[in-house]
Amino acid sequence: NYINPQALIVESVHNPINLSDQKGNRHSLDYLKGRNLCIVSSIANPDSFKKTILNLGADISLNFSFPDHYAYREDDLKKIIASCNKASLRTIVTTQKDAVRLSILESKDRDIELLILKIEIKITQNEEQFLRRLSAL
């Protein structure tokens, strides 16, 4: 392992902002409070996504975690929908990253609401230096 003493260390936090559906309708984060739902993601840290949803007061009955950058197949979508129907779940929450690849879910089952959790990244340490380096590129 090599250490670069000139490397800039930047710290950030991820904060949930709101929810939206595929049509662009927005909901406050309180919309999830007390809801029984399914979450679907293909991100590097699915536990962080799950924790965020739980912290918003939702109850997660089903959790589908796929490998990072996963290309959802028709069979995956059918399994998700069938599992939601069997569990009487009408709400699926996913990440912004996964939303485009999962948009077909709503066209497959119009009774299932697909919500996208919008996240804001806020730099908490060394923002000015980070932006200076970016502008120098």
Side-chain angles (χ1 to χ4, degrees):
N1 288 342
Y2 296 96
I3 296 175
N4 180 354
Q6 281 77 41
L8 175 65
I9 297 174
V10 178
E11 292 182 11
S12 65
V13 293
H14 297 75
N15 292 317
I17 301 299
N18 61 36
L19 298 150
S20 64
D21 61 23
Q22 292 291 355
K23 297 173 187 91
N25 299 316
R26 289 196 177 147
H27 303 281
S28 74
L29 297 173
D30 288 341
Y31 189 74
L32 295 184
K33 233 175 224 164
R35 278 186 187 256
N36 232 356
L37 50 84
C38 169
I39 61 173
V40 179
S41 66
S42 65
I43 55 178
N45 188 355
D47 289 338
S48 175
F49 178 58
K50 179 180 178 181
K51 183 179 176 186
T52 298
I53 298 298
L54 290 172
N55 286 340
L56 293 174
D59 294 316
I60 299 172
S61 295
L62 292 173
N63 179 2
F64 290 92
S65 295
F66 295 88
D68 199 15
H69 301 287
Y70 185 74
Y72 296 97
R73 299 183 317 253
E74 185 77 19
D75 287 348
D76 300 321
L77 303 179
K78 286 179 183 176
K79 180 180 177 185
I80 292 167
I81 291 170
S83 297
C84 286
N85 286 331
K86 185 177 180 183
S88 298
L89 297 175
R90 307 306 336 142
T91 305
I92 295 173
V93 180
T94 193
T95 67
Q96 288 175 277
K97 178 178 149 184
D98 290 298
V100 173
R101 290 175 280 167
L102 289 172
S103 61
I104 194 168
L105 274 177
E106 278 193 324
S107 63
K108 295 232 172 268
D109 189 329
R110 300 207 184 276
D111 292 332
I112 293 180
E113 175 181 43
L114 179 63
L115 296 176
I116 303 146
L117 180 65
K118 183 176 180 185
I119 299 286
E120 173 186 70
I121 298 173
K122 181 170 175 54
I123 297 175
T124 58
Q125 183 180 342
N126 292 329
E127 179 178 21
E128 196 174 307
Q129 296 91 327
F130 176 70
L131 293 175
R132 255 198 319 266
R133 286 194 182 186
L134 280 181
S135 64
L137 297 177

